[in-house]
Amino acid sequence: MSPAARLRGLKPDWISDPKVWRTEVLAGLVVALALIPEAISFSIIAGVDPALGLFASFTMAVVISVVGGRRAMISAATGAVALVIAPLNREHGLGHLIAAVIFAGVFQVILGAVGVAKLMRFIPRSVMVGFVNSLAVLIFMAQVPEMRNVPWAVYPLIVGGLALMVFFPKITTVIPAPLVSIVILTVITVAAGIAVPTVGGKGELPSSLPVPGLPDVPFTLDTLTTIAPYAFAMALVGLMESLMTAKLVDDITDTHSNKTRESLGQGIANIVTGFFGGMGGCAMIGQTMINVKVSGARTRLSTFLAGAFLIVLCIVFGPVVSDIPMAALVAVMIMVSFATFDWHSIAPKTLKRMPAGEITVMVVTVVAVVATHNLAIGVVVGSITAMVIFAKRVAHLAEVTAVTDPDGTSVVYRVTGELFFASSNDLVGQFDYAGDPNKVIVDLSSAHIWDASSVAALDAIETKYAQRGKTVEITGLNTPSADLHGKLSGALAAGH
């Protein structure tokens, strides 16, 4: 390949393809418009000035567009992070909150470097489906307050916005339907003088760029011990949401992302955000769905422009943005909620075919997320439920059958299945210690030893036979099982 051809291969798609350029630019604009009220709302949850949420959304999006591992994913100020750090701000003030954001970024870099992203492989599909469905429910629930105790005009505006997003793509897909909906509804409300809640009612938009600086806290061990628990919690919640969102985007776009790079990128983005006085954040699932699923963005350009447009809209076009009716953004998020939900997962045909355990895991994940409003907690609870169900299912697969030699001098016990803590507990009780002949052979050629509990169970079997003057020979161990048995056998007597 020539150097020129190699250089062309390194160029992003949007540089040479005007259609991709248009899609990415317009997607970034739609996301920026949707980010503003969300960032302000999350700032209120955290108990800080709205500017801190907007600054965080700006710096997170811009930095992650360069250092992140998942193209087209949006990172900004989020509700999950706001909930974690709100108590710290209430008890110790803004300086400690900013310091915690920086420290959380450091934790994320460390966790990313040690390979925390590899844990994603242990999250079952049923948990992922529950995660997606609960996300859709939370997105919708977040819009409900915007539809309560509001002027009657809000409701036809929402319906009109939804109608535009459903039918406008049938006319053309050149301009994203959400952007058309936001513009048209804004023009209608301003031109007709309709009094409805607007973006400006959420809080004052910043009028200048953020300035870098150090958090206003004493640099002491006491400060470190105060912020460390909050920083670590923020790091874990942020990474979990970000990695789950990255996996979701992988599935939607049928592409692979570098989860380790994403983990490191989230940490770098939070460190930068902290030094610019932002409240920190992580991957923003609702806005990512607007970007990827609704607007069709696929490159880093849309992520960068979402942050860039956000700050430009606030500083340069603040008065115009303030006039955007919240009904327009509510309609966009309702459409995102509908598009995000995995409707196939609750179809009667699917539920009939799906094992009961899989359905249980999905439901538990959804209930946990909706009850706590925390996606990370739902994923953990769902994954633990899946592990328990799996362990219970596999435990019944270990079987023991006995064949006595015709001359009555020996007996062969053939063990089949996976031996681990759940299945090995019942193993000891399946042998006839008093009635068996003096020579006992335990054939494990169709079994596999996974843990110390299984080795301890085999030791207990040998001990019980030895107490009756009988010998036990264990045969058929595969290499990993033999290695584990050789290391631990005889060393676990205290557990008998």
Side-chain angles (χ1 to χ4, degrees):
M1 182 183 291
S2 67
R6 192 179 300 112
L7 184 60
R8 283 195 300 272
L10 294 174
K11 287 183 180 179
D13 293 338
W14 52 267
I15 289 181
S16 56
D17 191 336
K19 185 178 179 181
V20 174
W21 169 273
R22 182 179 62 244
T23 299
E24 299 296 312
V25 171
L26 293 176
L29 180 57
V30 173
V31 171
L33 290 169
L35 272 174
I36 292 172
E38 294 275 307
I40 294 174
S41 297
F42 298 144
S43 300
I44 294 171
I45 292 173
V48 300
D49 188 275
L52 271 68
L54 292 165
F55 287 158
S57 297
F58 162 58
T59 54
M60 288 292 297
V62 169
V63 174
I64 207 68
S65 69
V66 178
V67 300
R70 173 64 258 178
R71 293 179 296 171
M73 190 166 77
I74 305 296
S75 288
T78 60
V81 168
L83 288 170
V84 170
I85 60 177
L88 178 63
N89 182 55
R90 284 195 303 268
E91 296 171 16
H92 299 280
L94 180 60
H96 282 74
L97 182 149
I98 301 300
V101 170
I102 297 172
F103 209 49
V106 173
F107 274 133
Q108 288 177 327
V109 169
I110 294 171
L111 290 170
V114 300
V116 71
K118 294 177 182 178
L119 296 176
M120 286 297 295
R121 72 182 69 177
F122 297 107
I123 297 178
R125 182 186 177 279
S126 51
V127 172
M128 191 67 194
V129 173
F131 170 82
V132 170
N133 290 346
S134 57
L135 160 64
V137 173
L138 285 186
I139 292 174
F140 180 81
M141 289 175 63
Q143 311 316 309
V144 173
E146 304 296 338
M147 296 184 281
R148 287 178 179 165
N149 303 317
V150 293
W152 68 268
V154 168
Y155 304 109
L157 286 172
I158 292 175
V159 173
L162 290 171
L164 281 168
M165 285 183 283
V166 171
F167 294 109
F168 187 79
K170 299 181 187 298
I171 301 173
T172 178
T173 56
V174 173
I175 304 175
L179 179 58
V180 173
S181 176
I182 292 170
V183 171
I184 291 178
L185 294 187
T186 303
V187 170
I188 290 174
T189 54
V190 173
I194 301 174
V196 292
T198 62
V199 170
K202 286 288 183 180
E204 187 177 350
L205 302 181
S207 57
S208 62
L209 289 169
V211 178
L214 294 174
D216 184 18
V217 293
F219 295 93
T220 62
L221 182 60
D222 184 56
T223 300
L224 183 62
T225 56
T226 299
I227 66 172
Y230 295 95
F232 190 65
M234 175 183 163
L236 290 179
V237 169
L239 277 185
M240 186 172 293
E241 283 211 25
S242 299
L243 294 176
M244 289 293 288
T245 305
K247 190 173 187 300
L248 178 58
V249 177
D250 289 353
D251 294 339
I252 292 172
T253 61
D254 196 25
T255 57
H256 176 71
S257 62
N258 188 329
K259 305 299 188 302
T260 297
R261 178 176 172 178
E262 183 61 38
S263 302
L264 296 170
Q266 288 291 328
I268 294 170
N270 271 307
I271 292 171
V272 172
T273 296
F275 281 119
F276 275 91
M279 58 176 275
C282 62
M284 204 169 190
I285 306 167
Q287 272 60 28
T288 297
M289 291 300 100
I290 294 176
N291 198 45
V292 175
K293 203 163 187 177
V294 179
S295 301
R298 292 292 183 271
T299 76
R300 297 179 183 274
L301 179 63
S302 58
T303 306
F304 175 84
L305 289 178
F309 281 145
L310 168 67
I311 204 70
V312 170
L313 287 169
C314 289
I315 295 174
V316 181
F317 300 101
V320 177
V321 173
S322 295
D323 287 335
I324 295 175
M326 285 301 299
L329 299 174
V330 168
V332 171
M333 297 311 293
I334 290 175
M335 182 60 73
V336 170
S337 172
F338 184 86
T340 302
F341 197 91
D342 186 351
W343 298 100
H344 175 72
S345 67
I346 60 171
K349 289 184 179 179
T350 305
L351 294 176
K352 286 180 181 178
R353 296 175 182 175
M354 194 71 68
E358 301 285 315
I359 297 173
T360 300
V361 170
M362 180 181 71
V363 172
V364 167
T365 303
V366 172
V367 170
V369 171
V370 173
T372 63
H373 284 243
N374 190 317
L375 290 160
I377 291 177
V379 171
V380 171
V381 172
S383 297
I384 292 173
T385 304
M387 291 176 188
V388 171
I389 291 174
F390 174 76
K392 185 177 180 181
R393 185 185 305 159
V394 175
H396 294 299
L397 299 181
E399 298 179 352
V400 179
T401 55
V403 178
T404 305
D405 190 88
D407 61 10
T409 59
S410 65
V411 61
V412 177
Y413 283 92
R414 184 177 180 83
V415 182
T416 304
E418 308 300 319
L419 299 181
F420 65 113
F421 62 89
S423 59
S424 60
N425 287 335
D426 298 329
L427 188 64
V428 179
Q430 299 190 49
F431 292 80
D432 184 5
Y433 302 102
D436 282 340
N438 290 334
K439 184 178 181 181
V440 178
I441 300 173
V442 180
D443 181 8
L444 297 176
S445 57
S446 297
H448 187 97
I449 298 175
W450 288 103
D451 60 8
S453 296
S454 303
V455 177
L458 293 173
D459 283 355
I461 292 168
E462 290 187 83
T463 300
K464 287 179 180 294
Y465 276 116
Q467 290 171 347
R468 293 167 174 79
K470 301 174 183 181
T471 60
V472 176
E473 180 183 358
I474 297 176
T475 63
L477 289 170
N478 56 36
T479 302
S481 298
D483 290 343
L484 184 62
H485 186 264
K487 289 179 182 178
L488 298 180
S489 182
L492 304 170
H496 294 341

